[in-house]
Amino acid sequence: MTLLTLLLGILSVLLIFLLLLRYFDHGAEVREWQRLLSKQPEHPARFDPAMTAELPEAARRYFAYTIAPGTPLLRVAEIDMKGLFSLKPPEYLPMEARQILALPHGFVWKMRLVGGLPVSGSDTGSWTRFRILGLFPVARAGGDTDHTRSAFGRYVIEAVFWTPAALLPGEGIAWEAVSASVARVTVTRGELSQSVDITLGHDGQPIEVSMMRWSNANPQKQYRLQPFGGTLSDFRDVSGYRLPFRVEGGNLFGTGGYFPFYKAEITAIRFPLHTTLKN
């Protein structure tokens, strides 16, 4: 066997392995997406402001702004977006992404960079998997308590502005007043707990969200609690909800080191009905 034949054989085995890995990863994404879709209430209740009567005044203002009376309380949303994403500050690359968000059960964010480096993949409550050219892994993490805790923080803070119905009073949801213009919600699921501060405008519009997130986005690459958050704007009505169509966020929010690595312009938000799951 010649050296060239041996090298070709090794490359062929490697290519087959990478193709199989992508195939199984794609299947996992599809299954997780469908699992989260199944968490949509089949017979949702409708929003009544009386549901928030016992909450702090700032929290009541938040719900009065984000959910119209009589709106079906749908807790699962699908979001399409485009915008800018930074892999290496201060540089940005155009991105496109689709997401499903289902607090407290999880999320799937499928993203691809559409300019420059051809990176694509997915981020979920269980894994982070991204590839170059759709084939060669450049990031593969998950399956440990650090990732789970960090991911939980992400989908709690996103639920604040994209699925407010998931934060109505109930098991695992606690509200408190920080000030007249800041409400704090804490979401607990099992051993996981995350608090998010919501800064409100005079009309109750959430304009900023912030939290202490478990993250290794620091020079030492060590997991620790550090500031995370962002700004919300361009609110629009979607099926009885008033939601932001422009979101910017990043690490060290509220400090001199803040850099918004994520700048999203939302192109569509959907609240899929339970009956669509049977198609």
Side-chain angles (χ1 to χ4, degrees):
M1 178 180 295
T2 67
L3 180 59
L4 178 59
T5 302
L6 178 61
L7 289 175
L8 289 175
I10 293 173
L11 289 174
S12 297
V13 171
L14 178 60
L15 179 61
I16 291 171
F17 170 76
L18 292 174
L19 288 170
L20 286 173
L21 186 64
R22 186 176 69 175
Y23 172 79
F24 286 114
D25 286 351
H26 175 71
E29 291 172 3
V30 171
R31 289 190 297 273
E32 180 67 357
W33 197 288
Q34 291 299 316
R35 183 185 76 85
L36 297 177
L37 276 176
S38 73
K39 302 302 181 181
Q40 190 75 283
E42 187 171 2
H43 302 291
R46 293 182 177 271
F47 180 62
D48 183 338
M51 295 174 174
T52 67
E54 302 301 318
L55 296 182
E57 192 271 340
R60 296 198 304 272
R61 290 171 55 218
Y62 159 80
F63 282 112
Y65 183 89
T66 57
I67 312 179
T71 298
L73 296 177
L74 300 172
R75 300 169 181 266
V76 181
E78 293 178 320
I79 306 111
D80 299 339
M81 65 190 76
K82 63 180 181 178
L84 298 173
F85 191 81
S86 177
L87 295 171
K88 183 181 179 183
E91 301 172 0
Y92 286 100
L93 291 170
M95 66 93 175
E96 293 178 349
R98 295 180 61 231
Q99 179 168 336
I100 183 169
L101 182 62
L103 186 76
H105 307 285
F107 76 103
V108 178
W109 186 62
K110 298 182 64 174
M111 184 271 288
R112 69 184 183 98
L113 299 179
V114 295
L117 196 63
V119 174
S120 61
S122 63
D123 204 6
T124 77
S126 301
W127 69 76
T128 296
R129 299 170 181 168
F130 287 92
R131 298 178 173 83
I132 292 178
L133 298 173
L135 194 61
F136 301 100
V138 292
R140 196 169 184 88
D144 58 69
T145 56
D146 286 325
H147 183 278
T148 299
R149 184 178 177 184
S150 181
F152 184 72
R154 170 177 172 169
Y155 61 90
V156 169
I157 199 171
E158 292 185 352
V160 166
F161 48 85
W162 278 329
T163 56
L167 295 172
L168 284 164
E171 183 179 0
I173 306 293
W175 285 88
E176 60 183 298
V178 177
S179 69
S181 60
V182 179
R184 176 175 296 159
V185 61
T186 300
V187 180
T188 303
R189 190 184 192 208
E191 297 182 352
L192 297 171
S193 183
Q194 180 67 60
S195 296
V196 177
D197 287 355
I198 310 162
T199 301
L200 305 172
H202 68 279
D203 56 355
Q205 174 184 313
I207 56 178
E208 290 184 358
V209 287
S210 61
M211 66 180 180
M212 294 298 291
R213 184 184 183 188
W214 191 247
S215 172
N216 66 346
N218 51 66
Q220 295 75 34
K221 301 300 181 183
Q222 295 178 350
Y223 276 96
R224 62 193 183 209
L225 288 172
Q226 58 188 44
F228 184 91
T231 58
L232 314 170
S233 58
D234 190 16
F235 278 73
R236 306 180 193 178
D237 292 332
V238 180
S239 303
Y241 297 93
R242 194 176 295 173
L243 310 174
F245 272 62
R246 183 171 181 83
V247 178
E248 296 188 4
N251 298 294
L252 303 181
F253 182 73
T255 76
Y258 172 61
F259 175 76
F261 66 81
Y262 170 85
K263 296 184 176 184
E265 296 180 8
I266 309 309
T267 57
I269 302 177
R270 298 175 297 277
F271 291 90
L273 298 179
H274 194 281
T275 54
T276 65
L277 308 181
K278 300 176 182 179
N279 295 339

